[in-house]
Amino acid sequence: MTTTQIVLASRPLGMPTLDNFKFAEMELPVVGDGEVMLESMYYSIDPYMRGRMNDEKSYTPPFQVGKPITGTIVASVAESQSPFYKKGDVVVGMLPWQKKMIAPEDDLQKINVAIAPPSYFLGLLGITGLTAYFGLLDIGKPQMGETVVISGAAGAVGIVAGQIAKLLGCRVVGIAGSDKKIKLLKDEFGFDDGINYKTSPDMAKAIAVACPDGVDVYFDNVGGAISDAVISHINFYARIVLCGQIALYNSTKVPTGPRIQPMLLTRSVLMQGFIVSNYKSQFPEAIQKLEQWLSEGKLKGTETMLRGFDALPKALIGLFSGNNTGKMIVEA
Ligand code: NAP
């Protein structure tokens, strides 16, 4: 049996292009003992995948040229040689960008599609939700009445982090790249205020207006000049959650910015980076909490869904132009 895969054709310099990806046909091996054959249903599209296109040492190894791109995928079991899975089960795992694949049983986790739509296990009930949860609660430690600013606020992680901060009684200000996104954050997701960074020529001033009491927690998904502006209004004993730096992922040179250390020092500010897998042992309890908030209507998921396997490269590139609101997903 053959299937289609997408391999890394070449490493990008700066913004990735469609030429960096290649579609290829491949023969599937037979399903061995302890393995299953899967049919992809939903592909998670994540900014960290851009880093894996570089030949750089990081917390995940780089993609190899000529080998398939991998990512988190929700798939259905088409054939099973495993006692743990039967045909029709829906699973999630770190899998190759292929329409069909053979996977070892140990690499998969069954998901309960009675709880939520399957794609939610890539977003709100997956790594996205966990990232927002641990970054905000463990590092941000927001207190009732504090001001929480979130960059990349209308993206997958930001929109969850903002909702959790609202649940905790904070004033939440989101930064995003269009008026439509800002309106959605305020009207649908309870954000108190929002700033469109693309139409705000003076971001520091915009932060001052939106945050008259300064910034107590900054959940940073973006970095660069946006973060420089937010940090210029950081309060004494504030917490800065370094979740992502997407503004820099396509940089070909290391950019320089203001030297922020004196300000962090004199205002006793904590700035901490994290990788969500640091919290792996606590995932089950966090997922339980996220499921509870979802079922109580306290958290809402939102997705941008592109259709068809061919849309995968375009979806990944689109993250860097703000083509998504909420979680970027490709449906098989
Ligand atoms: P996402 O926010 O859904 O998608 C990316 C969004 O970033 C875009 O929609 C775009 O929205 C914004 N963006 C793109 N380029 C930008 C730029 N140059 N300047 C400002 N904004 C830009 O992605 P996500 O999955 O939720 O991830 C958010 C961040 O968290 C990423 O940096 C990611 O790497 C990081 N992350 C970290 C962990 C961890 O373990 N630490 C885990 C998951 C994700 P606009 O329209 O607003 O520009």
Side-chain angles (χ1 to χ4, degrees), residues 7 22 27 59 73 105 135 170 185 210 251 253 258 278 299 321:
V7 303
K22 193 170 95 188
E27 190 72 31
Y59 61 96
I73 296 176
E105 60 192 11
C170 298
L185 292 176
S251 301
K253 285 193 293 198
N278 300 351
L299 276 188
S321 320

Side-chain angles (χ1 to χ4, degrees), residues 45-48 59 127-128 131 152-158 175-178 181 197-198 220-222 226 242-249 274-277 318-328:
I45 310 297
D46 297 283
Y48 80 90
Y59 61 96
I127 290 301
T128 296
T131 303
V157 172
I175 302 170
S178 75
K181 289 184 180 185
Y197 71 89
K198 288 189 181 161
D220 186 13
N221 287 309
V222 163
I226 291 174
L242 285 181
C243 177
Q245 297 282 290
I246 196 167
L248 312 181
Y249 293 174
F274 76 107
I275 299 298
V276 66
S277 54
L319 286 177
F320 303 99
S321 320
N323 290 358
N324 63 307
T325 299
K327 179 75 195 171
M328 180 72 105

Side-chain angles (χ1 to χ4, degrees), residues 23-45:
F23 289 75
E25 287 300 301
M26 64 164 296
E27 190 72 31
L28 276 180
V30 291
V31 186
D33 264 0
E35 292 183 335
V36 293
M37 185 193 287
L38 300 173
E39 276 177 21
S40 297
M41 296 169 69
Y42 298 98
Y43 300 83
S44 179
I45 310 297

